[in-house]
Amino acid sequence: MSRKHVKRTTHDARRTTNIAVLASGNGSNFEAIVGAIKRGYIKKTCVKLLITDKEKAYVRVRAERLGITQLYINPREYNTGGAFDKKLIQVLKKEKIGLVVLAGYMRILTPVFVKKFKNKVINIHPALLPAFKGARAIGDAYRYGVKITGVTVHFVDECIDHGPIIAQKPLPVKKGESLSGLERRIHRAEHTLYPLVIKKISEGKVKVRNRHVQVG
Amino acid sequence: MSRKHVKRTTHDARRTTNIAVLASGNGSNFEAIVGAIKRGYIKKTCVKLLITDKEKAYVRVRAERLGITQLYINPREYNTGGAFDKKLIQVLKKEKIGLVVLAGYMRILTPVFVKKFKNKVINIHPALLPAFKGARAIGDAYRYGVKITGVTVHFVDECIDHGPIIAQKPLPVKKGESLSGLERRIHRAEHTLYPLVIKKISEGKVKVRNRHVQVG
C-alpha cells in the first residue's frame, strides 16, 4: 500500500488541541466554539488565539468579552499574501497551534500555508458543497430555487471551498421562507455542526484518505 | 405585476393527465410510475405511451409486460436532433400528452422542443442539483467524498440539468458504503420521489414562478 493511501488520523487524542480561530467578521461561529469548550462539550481543547485581518471586526468584541487572546494582523503591513501568511505561520508555530479553524475568514490562504498545515485547517461553508461555492452561498442557493441546502465542514486545500468534506448537514428550504429566515437556520446549524466536528477531531476520530474522510 | 412574475399552475387538475415517458435504458422509474398509477396512488393520470430511442432498451420489455403502448423512434432515420424532436412533438400532440416524463432518456432535447413544452417536461437526476450534473452523478458524488447526496426532480429547460427544481430528497452517504450500495439507495429514493411529484402535478398543486417552484 503506497503511503498516499494510508489513512491518517488528523490528530493525537492524547494531547490537548491548541486552536487558533481566523475570522474577519461577526464571529458567531467563534463564540459557538468557545462556548462548546467552556461547557465541556469539547474536551482537552483550548482556543489559544483569535486572529483577524480586520481591525473593526465584531469578533474582536466577542474575544474581549470571552477572555480569548486576540491578534489583529494588518494586511497593509504586508506586500503580498505570501508575506501575510508567513507572519501567520510564524504566530501559529510559536503558539503550538494544532488546528486552525476558519470562521468567516475572508482572505484566501496561500498554497504554502495550506501545505504547511495540511489537514490541520478546517472551514465551514453555508451550503452543501460542491454546490454554491463562494462568498454568497446562502443567497445563491435561495435564488437558484433549491429545495435542500445545508452546511459543510471541510479541510482546506489549495482550491477554494474544495478540500475533503468532514461533515454535512442538509436543511430543507421551507415553503415561503424568506432569505433572512433561511440564513438564520443555516447559521444555527453551523453553530452545532462546527463544534461537533472539532470535538471529533480533538478525540482523534477523524481520518483522511485522499478525498475521503472517515468520522468515527 | 408583469406576466413574467405571475405564478402558473402547470396543470389543470380537473382533466386527466396524459403522460408520455421517454426512456433509453432500464426503465425502473418508468415501472415505478406505472405501478403508482395502477395502485391508485396517482389518480386521473394515464401513461399513454413509452417512447424510446434505443431499440434494445430493457424498458421496452417492461412496457410489453405492463401493457403500455410503446414507440421506438430510430434516431438514424432523422438527420438532426431538430428533425428527431419534430417527430417527437408530432407524436405527443397527436396523443394529447400533457406531461412528458424523462426517465433515463439519454438524448438532449432541442430548445424548440423545450419551449413548446415549457413546464411540461420533467426529469429526475440522481444528485442534489446543481451539484453533480451530467450522466455519472452518483459516482461523481461518491468519488468527491460528499456526506450528503440525493435526488432531484426538475422541469427541463434549455440547459442540461438546470431547470426549476420541483423536489429534492437528501440521502446521507453511509460509513464505508460501496458505490453500488449508494446507487441502490438513490434509485429506491427516485422510485418514491418521482411518483410523488407526478401526483402533485396531476393534482394541479405545482406552481412555477421563474426558477421557484411551489408545491402545495
Side-chain angles (χ1 to χ4, degrees), chain B residues 4-5 14 24 26 41-42 50 52 57 60 91 127 137 145-146 158 181 184 193 205 211 213:
Chain B
K4 220 178 133 187
H5 288 87
R14 291 164 300 182
S24 306
N26 180 294
Y41 174 70
I42 307 171
L50 167 78
T52 180
R60 301 187 69 190
V91 173
V146 296
E158 288 83 351
R184 259 195 306 279
L193 194 66
K205 289 183 177 164
R211 284 202 60 81
V213 182

Side-chain angles (χ1 to χ4, degrees), chain A residues 128-133 142-148 161-162 165-168 170 175 211-213 215-216, chain B residues 128-133 142-148 161-162 165-168 170 175 211-216:
Chain A
L128 291 178
L129 289 174
F132 306 111
K133 296 179 177 189
Y142 184 82
R143 284 181 290 275
Y144 194 95
V146 296
K147 299 298 183 184
I148 303 288
D161 299 330
H162 172 268
I165 292 171
I166 308 167
Q168 293 185 300
K175 275 178 204 174
R211 284 202 60 81
H212 291 261
V213 182
V215 181
Chain B
L128 292 178
L129 288 174
F132 306 111
K133 296 180 179 189
Y142 185 82
R143 284 181 290 275
Y144 194 96
V146 296
K147 299 296 184 186
I148 303 288
D161 298 332
H162 172 267
I165 291 171
I166 309 166
Q168 293 185 300
K175 275 178 204 173
R211 284 202 60 81
H212 291 261
V213 182
Q214 199 183 299
V215 181

Side-chain angles (χ1 to χ4, degrees), chain B residues 8-80:
Chain B
R8 297 159 192 239
T9 303
T10 59
H11 224 83
D12 183 344
R14 291 164 300 182
R15 290 195 197 165
T16 290
T17 308
N18 288 332
I19 291 179
V21 177
L22 272 57
S24 306
N26 180 294
S28 68
N29 273 309
F30 165 73
E31 182 152 357
I33 293 160
V34 173
I37 294 169
K38 285 199 172 172
R39 66 173 192 274
Y41 174 70
I42 307 171
K43 292 183 180 68
K44 292 179 79 179
T45 300
C46 163
V47 177
K48 282 206 79 172
L49 194 60
L50 167 78
I51 301 176
T52 180
D53 60 333
K54 298 276 185 217
E55 195 174 1
K56 292 181 178 168
Y58 184 69
V59 68
R60 301 187 69 190
V61 178
R62 294 189 196 254
E64 179 75 30
R65 176 160 41 79
L66 295 163
I68 305 288
T69 307
Q70 58 173 286
L71 175 66
Y72 161 57
I73 307 180
N74 185 351
R76 289 196 194 146
E77 290 176 12
Y78 300 87
N79 287 331
T80 62

Side-chain angles (χ1 to χ4, degrees), chain A residues 19-213:
Chain A
I19 290 179
V21 176
L22 271 59
S24 305
N26 180 295
S28 68
N29 275 307
F30 165 75
E31 182 152 356
I33 293 160
V34 172
I37 293 169
K38 286 199 171 168
R39 68 173 192 273
Y41 173 70
I42 307 171
K43 292 184 180 67
K44 293 180 75 179
T45 301
C46 164
V47 176
K48 281 206 80 173
L49 195 60
L50 166 78
I51 302 176
T52 180
D53 61 331
K54 297 278 184 216
E55 195 174 2
K56 292 180 178 167
Y58 184 70
V59 68
R60 301 187 70 190
V61 178
R62 294 189 196 253
E64 179 77 30
R65 176 160 42 78
L66 295 163
I68 304 288
T69 306
Q70 58 172 284
L71 175 66
Y72 161 57
I73 308 179
N74 184 350
R76 290 197 192 145
E77 291 175 12
Y78 300 86
N79 288 331
T80 62
F84 186 92
D85 279 8
K86 211 170 153 186
K87 168 71 179 170
L88 217 51
I89 291 168
Q90 189 193 317
V91 172
L92 298 174
K93 291 276 180 200
K94 192 178 154 222
E95 298 289 335
K96 296 188 173 32
I97 298 301
L99 182 66
V100 178
V101 175
L102 308 188
Y105 182 65
M106 299 309 284
R107 295 177 68 81
I108 293 161
L109 293 167
T110 56
V112 170
F113 184 97
V114 172
K115 261 180 206 149
K116 207 130 203 151
F117 286 85
K118 192 177 173 182
N119 295 341
K120 302 280 182 200
V121 186
I122 60 176
N123 185 39
I124 193 158
H125 186 80
L128 291 178
L129 289 174
F132 306 111
K133 296 179 177 189
R136 291 157 185 262
I138 306 176
D140 289 346
Y142 184 82
R143 284 181 290 275
Y144 194 95
V146 296
K147 299 298 183 184
I148 303 288
T149 183
V151 173
T152 301
V153 179
H154 64 95
F155 287 113
V156 172
D157 69 4
E158 289 82 352
C159 307
I160 292 171
D161 299 330
H162 172 268
I165 292 171
I166 308 167
Q168 293 185 300
K169 185 178 167 51
L171 285 176
V173 179
K174 291 181 180 172
K175 275 178 204 174
E177 186 170 40
S178 67
L179 174 56
S180 60
L182 178 63
E183 282 170 339
R184 260 196 306 278
R185 289 197 303 120
I186 293 261
H187 293 315
R188 224 179 295 146
E190 288 180 350
H191 301 160
T192 311
L193 194 66
Y194 222 1
L196 172 63
V197 167
I198 294 168
K199 175 186 164 76
K200 292 287 185 182
I201 290 175
S202 71
E203 291 170 351
K205 289 183 178 164
V206 175
K207 288 173 183 150
V208 191
R209 187 163 119 178
N210 302 326
R211 284 202 60 81
H212 291 261
V213 182

